[in-house]
Amino acid sequence: MGSSTTVVLRRRTEAPKPGRTLRNRSNSRKMVEEDEYSDTSCDKCGSGEYPAQLLLCDKCDRGVHLFCLRPILASVPKGSWFCPSCDDNKNLAKFPLVQTKIVDFFRIQRPSNSINEFIPVKDCQKKRKRGSSLVVSKKRRRLLPFNPTKDPTRRLEQMTSLATALLAAGADFSNELTYMPGMAPRSANHAALEREGMQVLSKDDTETLQLCKNMMKQGEWPPLMVVFDPKEGFTVEADAIIKDWTIITEYVGDVDYLNNREADDGDSMMTLLTTNDPSKDLIICPDKHSNIARFINGINNHTPAGKKKQNVKCVRFDVDGECRVLLVANRDIRKGERLYYDYNGYENEYPTAHFV
């Protein structure tokens, strides 16, 4: 893996600007000037400070700081927003734990009618080892493929947890970068345009990445569980021990030009390509198509305790001439431990001071 300078994390949107966060009750999401609500205080903490961080309920007009909400909101959400007291959708709809529905949702390519009969991971790994080089392994550490949970019922539960989170987010599952009409074409994703150069993923590591992709296509799922936390929202837990340097997942979504998204309120945009020509800069937008990467939370990089929570790092690679973003374990991760990485690489655009 490269040095920390190669890490480009979730771009996200910039911190809310003064006088542009308070909203009226119209669905047009028109921002109102803060002096119109100078007497508004936060319903949670009771303070009227930080008016630019106050979000107004579209039903009762009570205000709540973005950072006082649980889970915290990083930016003003699209469409109408209702405070916890007025929200009628408190009960999370869970995806059914039915094998056929899960197979269809994730478009799993089954060699048979049962997930129990998918190709064992150990057989795939044997094929991977035959192509390896002992000399190369001594010179540099290689990425490791994830080890799926052996229990097929538990794997179904893991997939169900992700399907539930994706449905709640209004997104379709995708495990690849998607190129949609009206957005950036695939031809724009040219790693050679990277302003400071991009590390090329080695042949061995490329094969490992493809192995992980193929395993997931056949229902061999990484040992990860998406859970809902009242403070953090959807978050991801390790459902088994994950070794250092293991590929967690690729960060995927719709690829678009940064210029097209500067007014976007999405809070999960990831830098994909940074060029000398800003009009060619690319980002990943997982609001419509995404995988489990979207639900891995960020650390509070303003406190020592927050920094200690980081167990995943985010690195961009040149893979066959295209930019790709991988999330990789940067230490051994215990079963039950939640996954976190730093949303701010060298860009420092995402406000994390209020993260739990």
Side-chain angles (χ1 to χ4, degrees):
M1 300 285 287
S3 64
S4 60
T5 56
T6 64
V7 179
V8 180
L9 306 182
R10 292 191 190 185
R11 183 178 194 89
R12 302 285 176 164
T13 51
E14 294 183 356
K17 296 178 175 57
R20 297 199 62 197
T21 303
L22 293 171
R23 306 191 303 156
N24 65 9
R25 283 187 279 182
S26 69
N27 291 332
S28 65
R29 302 184 63 256
K30 177 183 178 182
M31 303 297 179
V32 298
E33 297 300 328
E34 54 185 81
D35 57 2
E36 294 183 40
Y37 287 83
S38 58
D39 59 344
T40 301
S41 60
C42 176
D43 196 53
K44 294 292 185 181
C45 70
S47 171
E49 296 183 0
Y50 308 106
Q53 300 283 329
L54 277 170
L55 181 63
L56 299 184
C57 175
D58 285 306
K59 185 174 183 180
C60 69
D61 241 5
R62 284 184 290 187
V64 185
H65 287 122
L66 294 173
F67 51 81
C68 285
L69 288 166
R70 294 294 183 269
I72 291 172
L73 287 181
S75 61
V76 178
K78 294 182 178 180
S80 299
W81 177 82
F82 301 101
C83 69
S85 299
C86 297
D87 187 6
D88 295 327
N89 298 312
K90 296 179 181 179
N91 296 323
L92 186 65
K94 293 186 177 180
F95 193 87
L97 185 61
V98 179
Q99 179 174 309
T100 54
K101 292 183 179 296
I102 294 171
V103 168
D104 291 341
F105 184 87
F106 292 106
R107 300 183 296 278
I108 294 173
Q109 301 171 4
R110 300 179 299 171
S112 66
N113 291 326
S114 174
I115 288 183
N116 291 284
E117 301 176 22
F118 285 158
I119 298 174
V121 177
K122 60 182 180 180
D123 293 343
C124 297
Q125 291 175 334
K126 287 179 181 178
K127 295 179 182 179
R128 171 71 176 80
K129 289 179 180 178
R130 285 200 293 268
S132 64
S133 169
L134 293 177
V135 176
V136 172
S137 64
K138 291 180 180 179
K139 290 183 177 179
R140 56 175 294 277
R141 297 187 67 178
R142 297 183 303 181
L143 297 179
L144 301 176
F146 59 77
N147 289 317
T149 302
K150 294 181 180 180
D151 182 2
T153 300
R154 189 59 175 173
R155 290 205 306 272
L156 286 175
E157 293 173 351
Q158 293 164 356
M159 288 185 273
T160 298
S161 71
L162 175 56
T164 297
L166 288 171
L167 285 177
D172 293 329
F173 173 74
S174 175
N175 211 30
E176 305 288 345
L177 293 176
T178 46
Y179 298 89
M180 305 300 293
M183 298 185 188
R186 185 166 186 170
S187 58
N189 185 0
H190 193 44
L193 296 176
E194 176 63 28
R195 184 171 59 203
E196 298 180 3
M198 186 173 292
Q199 181 178 354
V200 177
L201 193 65
S202 70
K203 179 180 178 181
D204 285 340
D205 288 344
T206 300
E207 290 177 358
T208 299
L209 175 60
Q210 192 57 49
L211 170 62
C212 292
K213 297 277 189 175
N214 290 339
M215 286 194 292
M216 292 187 68
K217 288 179 181 178
Q218 296 181 8
E220 298 285 358
W221 214 251
L224 302 171
M225 188 74 74
V226 183
V227 298
F228 185 82
D229 183 279
K231 292 184 177 180
E232 299 186 43
F234 286 110
T235 187
V236 179
E237 291 182 353
D239 207 32
I241 296 174
I242 299 176
K243 294 293 185 181
D244 188 15
W245 286 70
T246 297
I247 295 177
I248 302 297
T249 188
E250 178 179 359
Y251 202 98
V252 301
D254 296 335
V255 178
D256 202 358
Y257 292 109
L258 174 60
N259 287 347
N260 293 345
R261 298 286 182 141
E262 290 193 340
D264 197 302
D265 291 308
D267 67 348
S268 300
M269 294 186 293
M270 169 77 79
T271 298
L272 180 63
L273 176 65
T274 303
T275 72
N276 289 317
D277 181 354
S279 67
K280 296 182 179 179
D281 290 356
L282 300 178
I283 56 174
I284 303 171
C285 308
D287 51 329
K288 300 296 183 183
H289 304 91
S290 55
N291 61 7
I292 201 166
R294 175 177 180 172
F295 303 107
I296 299 178
N297 282 335
I299 62 170
N300 181 335
N301 50 8
H302 295 267
T303 65
K307 294 178 181 179
K308 287 182 180 179
K309 293 166 67 174
Q310 182 174 355
N311 49 22
V312 175
K313 59 183 173 182
C314 178
V315 189
R316 292 186 301 160
F317 283 106
D318 175 340
V319 182
D320 297 327
E322 294 184 341
C323 305
R324 307 274 285 276
V325 180
L326 303 185
L327 298 183
V328 180
N330 67 351
R331 61 172 172 82
D332 291 348
I333 303 174
R334 304 183 309 274
K335 180 179 179 180
E337 185 178 353
R338 292 184 177 178
L339 275 58
Y340 296 95
Y341 69 101
D342 190 351
Y343 285 175
N344 292 303
Y346 53 71
E347 294 174 307
N348 297 316
E349 290 190 353
Y350 193 84
T352 66
H354 300 290
F355 275 23
V356 176

